[in-house]
Amino acid sequence: MAEEAIIRKLIADGDGTGDDRRIVQLFQLITMLNKANSDTKSITHKILTNLDLIELSFQKQSQISAVTEEEIVNYERLCTEIDQMITQNSDKMEAVKKELAEAKQIRKNRQEYDALAKLIKEKPSRADTSRKLKGLQDELEEAYAKQKILEQRLIEKRKNMYTLAVLLDNLDEMNKETEDVPISEGEDASAIPTVLSKSTGPEKPSVE
């Protein structure tokens, strides 16, 4: 299993310029060191060199890991700050929306006020309206008084006409009675109108 893992890492590493290749070389050098006819000094030097390289790579990986962890912490802190900024901006956006709605309402109220003020300017003032109303009331009272006078005159004319009609009827009756009375030979015919005028009573009222 370990050899298969090493082979997979070597395949992924390409030509073997990474740490896995150094580990494989280290294993090979250790194996060569056990052989009787091998150059022990040279192999030992190579083993130490590989160990130094492996240690250096380990330190490098440790530093990379530390930097990565630090970056992770920084990114987490940055994400937290971004979330806070998003929350703050959301609150600001809500406040701006509220202010915008209030501004729209104020603008609408101002437009309605301007329209109402324009309408009030077009209409007459209360003093003018009261003055015109007083004038109309005076004209109405004057017309009513004239109507009363005309009605009174009409009543008087009706009474005069009725009186005239009664007098004419009486005169007609008296004329008929006079025609029925025989005139004696010694009487003057000119005296008849005088008698008639005396019997008719007071003078007829004038008709307007």
Side-chain angles (χ1 to χ4, degrees):
M1 295 295 294
E3 293 179 357
E4 292 178 358
I6 292 172
I7 291 172
R8 285 198 300 271
K9 289 183 179 181
L10 288 174
I11 293 172
D13 192 35
D15 294 335
T17 57
D19 297 332
D20 293 334
R21 183 171 180 275
R22 294 191 184 95
I23 293 172
V24 172
Q25 288 179 354
L26 180 61
F27 287 155
Q28 291 176 354
L29 291 173
I30 292 172
T31 303
M32 291 173 62
L33 186 62
N34 293 327
K35 294 180 180 180
N37 56 354
S38 61
D39 188 0
T40 305
K41 186 176 180 179
S42 176
I43 293 172
T44 303
H45 180 70
K46 290 180 180 180
I47 290 173
L48 293 175
T49 301
N50 282 331
L51 288 174
D52 291 337
L53 292 174
I54 291 171
E55 184 178 2
L56 180 62
S57 178
F58 177 76
Q59 292 177 358
K60 180 180 178 181
Q61 293 296 329
S62 298
Q63 291 179 357
I64 292 173
S65 178
V67 172
T68 303
E69 291 179 357
E70 185 178 357
E71 289 296 324
I72 290 173
V73 173
N74 291 332
Y75 282 125
E76 289 178 352
R77 179 177 55 80
L78 184 61
C79 289
T80 303
E81 292 177 356
I82 291 173
D83 291 337
Q84 292 177 355
M85 291 176 63
I86 291 173
T87 303
Q88 292 176 358
N89 290 331
S90 298
D91 295 338
K92 289 181 180 179
M93 288 178 64
E94 292 296 329
V96 170
K97 287 181 180 179
K98 186 176 180 181
E99 291 178 357
L100 181 60
E102 292 178 355
K104 288 182 178 179
Q105 186 64 34
I106 292 173
R107 182 180 179 183
K108 182 180 179 181
N109 294 338
R110 185 174 296 173
Q111 290 177 350
E112 292 178 354
Y113 173 79
D114 293 339
L116 183 60
K118 184 178 180 181
L119 182 62
I120 291 173
K121 288 181 179 179
E122 293 176 354
K123 299 297 180 180
S125 63
R126 184 173 182 179
D128 294 337
T129 304
S130 300
R131 185 171 58 255
K132 290 180 180 179
L133 182 61
K134 183 65 169 58
L136 291 175
Q137 289 178 349
D138 294 340
E139 291 178 1
L140 183 61
E141 291 177 357
E142 184 178 357
Y144 183 73
K146 289 181 179 180
Q147 182 181 0
K148 286 291 185 182
I149 294 172
L150 292 175
E151 289 178 353
Q152 187 65 31
R153 289 180 179 178
L154 181 60
I155 292 172
E156 292 177 357
K157 287 183 179 181
R158 286 178 179 176
K159 288 181 179 180
N160 293 333
M161 291 295 293
Y162 178 76
T163 303
L164 180 60
V166 171
L167 291 175
L168 290 175
D169 290 339
N170 292 334
L171 182 60
D172 189 29
E173 291 293 333
M174 292 179 67
N175 287 332
K176 289 180 180 180
E177 292 177 357
T178 305
E179 290 176 357
D180 294 338
V181 175
I183 301 173
S184 60
E185 295 179 356
E187 292 179 351
D188 189 1
S190 61
I192 295 174
T194 305
V195 175
L196 290 175
S197 62
K198 290 181 180 180
S199 62
T200 55
E203 185 181 357
K204 298 177 183 179
S206 62
V207 179
E208 294 182 0

